[in-house]
Each structure stands twice: as C-alpha cells, then as structure tokens.
Amino acid sequence: PGMWLCLVCLFLCASLALGDDDGVLLPDAPLEQVMYSGESRLYSIGELSPNTHYEVRISYPATQPMEFYMKLVHTKQNFGRQLLNTEKVMFETDSEGQISGVTGPAFVEVKAQFVGATPNQETRHSVTFNIVLETLFYGAPFPSLKLVGLIVLCLCLSFFIPQLFPLLPKPHKD
C-alpha cells in the first residue's frame, strides 16, 4: 500500500509540474488567468482550421487599471491593433491550417502593466482576465452575428405586425 501511495503522489506532482493546457489557446475556448503587473506569458495556439480568420482578445474588469500588450511571436508582420486599454491580435490561416506569415509554431505573448497610481509603489498588482481565441465569420465573432440576426428579425417583425392590425376586427359601438 505504501508503494501505491508513493506512485500516486509522484504522478500528481508530475502532472502539476507539467501543468494542464493552461498555456494553449484553442478556438472559442476562453481561459481564465491571473497575471501580475510586469509579468509576461506565452500562449501557444492550437487546433486551427484551414482558411479561417481568428482574433485573440482579452477581457478584464475595468476596476483594475491594467494595460495589456499582445503580439504574435515568430512573425515579422504586425497582426495587433490597439483597442481601448488592450490590444487584439487578428490573423488568418492558410489552406493547411497554419497562420499566414508565420514559420513554425505560433505563440501569443501577453504582458500586463499596471497603470494606476498607488501610495505604496512596492505592491505587486494582479489582475484576473479571460483570454480567448475566437473564430471570426465575415470579420465578426459568431456571437455578435447572432445578435445581428436577432436585430434584423425584430426589424422585420416591427414592419409586418402593424400591417396585420387593419385586418383585425374592430369593436362595435352600441
């Protein structure tokens, strides 16, 4: 029994040391992460579909004054753009599912920087954030296309419903 306990402990320690897939960005699967100011992390990108557009973006609480910087590693092209206090990285894949313009494995480097004023400058500030690799359809994430479809449906209904009211019977006045 002691040997089995030792093997289980060894297996658990090895799995914790190797980590789960926290550093792998998969399409449409957000990761919740915690990062300290000044810290930098690399996330590998996996399971990309051929001839598809993608966007890597970060969302975090606005109560934590942080700026995020992202860049696609192993490329000479600039895929990022500044949006409010964060960047987003957009790219497309070729017919083989590889990121266009990138040779070898692709990584997204993320750096967080605290931008608020604090009386104690020695404090290390942390932020909890979500990072997601979203698949784009016609330049927009799929959930936003659902919203556009709902808006179009409401507009169509608002046009056709008033046309049905003249067909309703009118109340008789006695």
Side-chain angles (χ1 to χ4, degrees), residues 32 54 122:
E32 184 173 325
Y54 291 98
E122 299 299 318

Side-chain angles (χ1 to χ4, degrees), residues 13-15 27 30 39 43 58 68 70 73 87 99 121 171:
C13 289
S15 66
E39 186 178 357
Y43 295 94
I58 290 177
F68 287 92
M70 291 192 300
V73 181
E87 293 181 4
I99 298 174
Q121 295 297 330

Side-chain angles (χ1 to χ4, degrees), residues 113-126:
Q113 189 62 47
F114 181 75
V115 293
T118 59
N120 183 1
Q121 295 297 330
E122 299 299 318
T123 306
R124 272 191 90 192
H125 299 278
S126 67

Side-chain angles (χ1 to χ4, degrees), residues 90-137:
M90 299 173 77
F91 57 88
E92 62 182 289
T93 57
D94 58 18
S95 60
E96 297 173 3
Q98 299 296 319
I99 298 174
S100 303
V102 175
T103 57
F107 296 92
V108 173
E109 181 180 12
V110 177
K111 183 175 183 180
Q113 189 62 47
F114 181 75
V115 293
T118 59
N120 183 1
Q121 295 297 330
E122 299 299 318
T123 306
R124 272 191 90 192
H125 299 278
S126 67
V127 63
T128 302
F129 65 95
N130 288 330
I131 183 168
V132 65
L133 171 66
E134 283 196 316
T135 307
L136 301 179
F137 298 95

Side-chain angles (χ1 to χ4, degrees), residues 24-31 43-49 53-58 72 89-91 93 99 108 130-136 141:
V24 178
L25 294 176
L26 301 174
D28 305 313
L31 291 175
Y43 295 94
S44 62
I45 299 174
E47 298 183 19
L48 299 177
S49 300
H53 292 262
Y54 291 98
E55 166 185 277
V56 179
R57 65 179 173 78
I58 290 177
L72 199 58
V89 175
M90 299 173 77
F91 57 88
T93 57
I99 298 174
V108 173
N130 288 330
I131 183 168
V132 65
L133 171 66
E134 283 196 316
T135 307
L136 301 179

Side-chain angles (χ1 to χ4, degrees), residues 59-71:
S59 61
Y60 65 99
T63 57
Q64 297 178 341
M66 289 279 192
E67 285 187 356
F68 287 92
Y69 304 98
M70 291 192 300
K71 69 178 180 178

